[in-house]
Amino acid sequence: EEQRDATNNITTLSERQMQVLALVADGRTDNEIAIQLGLSAKTISSYVAHIRHRFEAQSRAQAVALAIRQGLLPDPDSPEEGG
């Protein structure tokens, strides 16, 4: 079942899913993410598949792009805050 905030159609993710998505956005592979988070690559692959499903994304890149558009991840083209 897809979880969305009915008021603004934002996809909601768990804290762990957000960690994985941020690392995907950094260009990390499932193996690299698994090592960093102390999980198996298969677990990370499952997280990524679930994230893609939540966003109805066809690829990792599309999931990241949609997360940026929804404000879940910072836009790399925006000026950094506090910088």
Side-chain angles (χ1 to χ4, degrees):
E1 179 179 309
E2 191 173 291
Q3 294 177 346
R4 288 186 182 263
D5 181 327
T7 57
N8 54 16
N9 207 33
I10 299 278
T11 302
T12 56
L13 300 174
S14 71
E15 186 174 337
R16 179 65 87 186
Q17 289 169 332
M18 285 300 301
Q19 286 179 312
V20 170
L21 184 58
L23 292 168
V24 168
D26 285 342
R28 305 279 177 84
T29 66
D30 288 354
N31 284 333
E32 291 168 337
I33 296 168
I35 291 166
Q36 183 165 343
L37 298 182
L39 299 169
S40 75
K42 186 173 181 177
T43 298
I44 298 304
S45 178
S46 177
Y47 274 118
V48 172
H50 194 96
I51 290 164
R52 286 179 47 199
H53 177 74
R54 286 272 179 92
F55 283 103
E56 299 176 1
Q58 299 301 311
S59 67
R60 294 162 76 101
Q62 186 182 21
V64 168
L66 291 169
I68 290 168
R69 286 185 197 143
Q70 291 187 16
L72 296 175
L73 291 174
D75 185 340
D77 294 332
S78 298
E80 291 188 28
E81 294 179 20

